[in-house]
Amino acid sequence: MRKIELQDGKHQRKARLLPFTLLSVLVLSGCAGSNGSAENNSDSASAMSFKVTEENENLEVMMRNQPISSFWFPEDLLQWKADEDPDLPYNISNVPLAERVDKEKLVPVNDTQNKETEVVALSIMNRSTSGNAPHGLNKFDSNTFSYWQYVDKMVYWAGSAGEGLIVPPSPDVTDAAHKNGVPVLGTVFFPPAEFNGKLEWLDDFLQQDADGNFPMVDKLIEVASTYQFDGWFINQETQGNEEQPLTKEHADLMVAFIKQFKEKSGDEFEIMYYDAMTSEGKLEWQNALNEKNAQFLMTENGEPVSDSMFLNFWWTEDRYADQELLKASNQKATEIGVDPYQVYAGIDVQAKGYMTPVRWDLFEKLANETHTSLGLYAADWPYSSSSSIDEFQLKENLFWVNSIGDPTAENTASGTEWRGISNYAIEKSPLTALPFVTNFNVGNGYNFFIDGETVSNLDWNNRSVSDILPTYRWIMDHEGENELAASLDFAQAYYGGNSLKFRGTMEKGKASTLKLYQADLKLDKNVTFTTTAKANVATDLDLVLAFDDGTTETIKADKKLGEDWVTVQYDLSDFADKVINTISYKVTADKAGDIFEMNLGNITIADQDAIGTSKVTDAQVVDAVFDEDALLAGVRLTWETDAPAAYYEVYRVNQDETKSLLGVSNTTNFYINTLPRTDETNKSTFEVVPVNSLLERGDSTTAAMDWPNNSLPKANFSVSKTLVAPGEAITFKNLSSQNAEELAWSFEGADVESSTEAEPTVTYSEEGNYKVTLKVKNKEGEDEKTIENYIVVSQQAKDSIVLLSQGKPTEASSFVNDKEAPAFAVDGKVESKWCAIGTAPHELTIDLESVKTISEVSIAHAEAGNESPDMNTKAYTISVSEDGKEFVDVVTVTRNTLGNTTDTFAPINARYVKLKVVKPTQGSDSAARIYEVEVKGLDGTLN
């Protein structure tokens, strides 16, 4: 299966109110220095003086010390040492796998659900293999998947020949999955040769020592154990070539490898095998469990191998329909002693999502029974195909539930139409132990709310602090003419980034019952049940609990809802020792109106007296880096705690002693990306505040960081052209440091000799070579930059600046294969590219075949070829030479983010032009992706 990287389809901030739809209404809102610590107590949010954190204008900047989620090629993982990995603390999941309600206690909500049918989702949870922040950053855009109730396993789908093949899940994905009782598997991906797969990678992976031990087995177990996820998905699709073919030896080694993995790890970690390589050592997709791939589940001698198998997708195609491959798979599994529900029938939904035609009749065994379990490839489709958050939420509901958006509704799909996962898979729940607390967070937001108040306008995502969302989306029983639609509301929240909104019409005194959660929760006499909510009219929000003894009770709230957030309580004193099966609410409005709106912000079921607060100490800035102007910082912050907290709020302490929220962590470290310098001091103080699940604050601690003194400005500039004809207009651009308050240009020989504009346009009437000077100043001092002979004015330049590099000979330090060779960087097409993998820097040299006068170079980076902007070249240099031996640097770029760049420089004679890709991408991917290089100048030299 090919991993397709997502493009940067940024979810733009929407208007405050989006149109009402049947299923969804979404309302959107609108540094290393000296370390120190001091402790103080923050009993509540109301005791803190907030300054609302402003939006960050530098989100696209990636600081050099940003922690990244791990990925490796086999040889790199074999050399990896956990204790030498500086990013390790950020990549460990801290949420244990929750226990789910026993399937025997689950009650189907429709006639076709089967308790035995499982679902595995292969999901691209981050848009690339490399460069992913372990716990998110200040961006809203994130795949905040929330339909965990239908998923039994998730495979963190990633891996590519240009980045890495062995990819553990980022910890925020593991944290979110584990809260919901879903195990997560990392990916081992050997791509086909067509996608630059190399058989030597498979050989490295399967190498044995003299004792028959597989070193990679130990490494895979070490990674899973250290990072705290649940196993690996092995996808071997590299077929090799005539010189190095895939053989039966590879297949036998893979079987031995998996057996050894299981012998060493036992039941602690799972292996799921993909139906691609057969036991004969051929790349042949069977689309079924049969004699050609059964060896990877159970050997002929009855020895277990993999725990499960993901079948290829073609079983649903008409050409295979008469073979009834899933029925045969069920029979084969039974024959070899394997649970048929550990065989997953794959469906490829990457291109069409719920428009994918599926022969469900081949999947179904009886009315509420299936031949195998279900496997979804690219189950992230609702996210990757959406251009807005409301589209994402709507598609997710249609995909996982059904076209009606109610799992209890009769499914009207026919033939190969999408039926929704709720048609086959029963809803599961992790509500098996108290306390249970949810703020309904999905893991991102346009703002951050504390006690219902906005404390930050920073966009953010951190799936580690997501909550358990309702089991049922949505089951509502309305009296009279009541009608409500449910949605996620990003404009209002009690704590975090969003709340649940119910919006529609309500008759006075008529009730609507909202069934939200499946549970298996035993109550004791000290447990209290509270709900924080608000409504636009006075509303009764009564609690409806169904118990395992078959009884149902409605418990009145102690107060009504109003326009402000209020916490209501329910008296459970009569229900001690009873076990809750489902949690519902009965909503009754005191009066009718045009539009009824109610938001749920928090549910807490707990013995609140038994939940204490934490104390944090020893906060330290362990690492900090700054941009060139020392106006932005990347900060790694850690601290100690006497007991784990639900959240750790990280604040910047301002000069006026107010506090600005920077983010929230669920672990004892936090990374602050592109922290802006906000005052005139050379120090920043951070405060870490522990918060328990009841949103009570414990003892905080602080740490300080010194900034470099950057009071003096730094002058810099560029120009649209440097080789021009007399009278030709050119535009200069000020690139000086942000603290430059005044600027003054001097243009020798120009029609405008001086200017104070940021982007002045000038002309030169006489031929010659001219210098340019820019002087900048602020109250601390000044700086000046002068480039001699920067502008060359010549009649030869009139209509004579031409493209010189197209079709010229090229050489490169490396390239992936003949289809991505260096010649493709000068073929005049952005549909082809030069791609080099391995350790940077990568070099591309163009031979112009004779000495020319050149003055500019344009480059089409990854985004120009429709790849992710994250793959655009970050840092590069351009150097030139007349003899191909001695090169002179003419361009140095250190923080590019653009897909297309044009760099001008003082005209110079050269035959050879060398592009050195120093930092190939915005993240940690080491592959260069250059779609075109255009060298421009005179087809000859200046007289």
Side-chain angles (χ1 to χ4, degrees), residues 134-354:
H135 296 282
L137 290 174
N138 290 122
K139 294 182 180 181
F140 178 85
D141 188 13
S142 178
N143 184 4
T144 50
F145 173 70
S146 65
Y147 283 76
W148 297 102
Q149 65 269 37
Y150 295 112
V151 176
D152 294 274
K153 301 182 185 75
M154 173 171 279
V155 174
Y156 180 86
W157 186 249
S160 72
E163 299 167 272
L165 310 179
I166 303 171
V167 191
S170 59
D172 57 339
V173 173
T174 304
D175 286 350
H178 279 187
K179 285 182 186 180
N180 287 275
V182 177
V184 186
L185 309 183
T187 301
V188 179
F189 177 50
F190 295 101
E194 295 83 354
F195 300 110
N196 308 319
K198 298 181 180 180
L199 201 64
E200 52 259 42
W201 287 332
L202 180 60
D203 292 333
D204 290 343
F205 184 81
L206 295 174
Q207 65 178 277
Q208 291 175 284
D209 61 22
D211 298 324
N213 185 60
F214 292 94
M216 190 62 73
V217 163
D218 297 325
K219 280 299 183 184
L220 293 185
I221 293 174
E222 179 187 4
V223 172
S225 177
T226 302
Y227 287 11
Q228 293 295 291
F229 61 96
D230 307 288
W232 295 95
F233 182 96
I234 296 181
N235 182 45
Q236 199 310 94
E237 291 186 281
T238 302
Q239 69 272 52
N241 52 43
E242 292 183 2
E243 296 177 356
Q244 288 182 297
L246 187 68
T247 67
K248 187 177 186 304
E249 182 181 1
H250 289 107
D252 291 342
L253 283 171
M254 183 65 77
V255 170
F257 180 98
I258 297 171
K259 285 178 59 180
Q260 190 174 108
F261 180 98
K262 293 301 299 179
E263 289 166 1
K264 289 187 173 183
S265 67
D267 294 331
E268 185 176 2
F269 301 115
E270 177 176 344
I271 293 289
M272 180 177 283
Y273 184 81
Y274 173 53
D275 157 36
M277 180 176 67
T278 70
S279 57
E280 299 170 344
K282 296 180 180 179
L283 195 66
E284 292 179 351
W285 298 271
Q286 301 303 301
N287 312 291
L289 179 65
N290 60 26
E291 68 281 356
K292 291 187 176 182
N293 58 20
Q295 181 178 342
F296 296 100
L297 273 180
M298 187 76 70
T299 68
E300 294 179 355
N301 297 326
E303 299 171 305
V305 188
S306 300
D307 298 278
S308 56
M309 181 177 289
F310 188 102
L311 302 181
N312 193 51
F313 321 120
W314 303 337
W315 60 267
T316 185
E317 296 183 5
D318 288 343
R319 55 178 167 154
Y320 292 107
D322 61 349
Q323 298 180 36
E324 296 187 89
L325 293 175
L326 299 188
K327 180 179 180 180
S329 297
N330 179 290
Q331 294 170 348
K332 185 65 175 180
T334 303
E335 174 191 324
I336 64 175
V338 170
D339 181 358
Y341 291 106
Q342 290 307 303
V343 178
Y344 296 82
I347 302 176
D348 183 354
V349 297
Q350 185 168 50
K352 297 181 179 180
Y354 50 62

Side-chain angles (χ1 to χ4, degrees), residues 615-656:
K615 177 180 180 179
V616 292
T617 58
D618 196 27
Q620 296 185 40
V621 174
V622 296
D623 184 46
V625 299
F626 307 90
D627 71 340
E628 295 174 0
D629 301 325
L631 294 174
L632 300 173
V635 186
R636 293 190 178 203
L637 187 66
T638 67
W639 55 89
E640 300 292 332
T641 184
D642 64 342
Y647 312 101
Y648 299 94
E649 296 169 351
V650 180
Y651 295 89
R652 180 179 198 156
V653 182
N654 303 307
Q655 278 185 284
D656 61 2

Side-chain angles (χ1 to χ4, degrees), residues 585-640:
Y585 288 95
K586 184 179 180 181
V587 183
T588 311
D590 277 7
K591 65 178 182 179
D594 293 337
I595 293 293
F596 171 83
E597 291 186 348
M598 181 186 73
N599 287 75
L600 297 182
N602 172 275
I603 295 174
T604 297
I605 314 173
D607 178 355
Q608 298 194 22
D609 293 335
I611 301 176
T613 58
S614 301
K615 177 180 180 179
V616 292
T617 58
D618 196 27
Q620 296 185 40
V621 174
V622 296
D623 184 46
V625 299
F626 307 90
D627 71 340
E628 295 174 0
D629 301 325
L631 294 174
L632 300 173
V635 186
R636 293 190 178 203
L637 187 66
T638 67
W639 55 89
E640 300 292 332

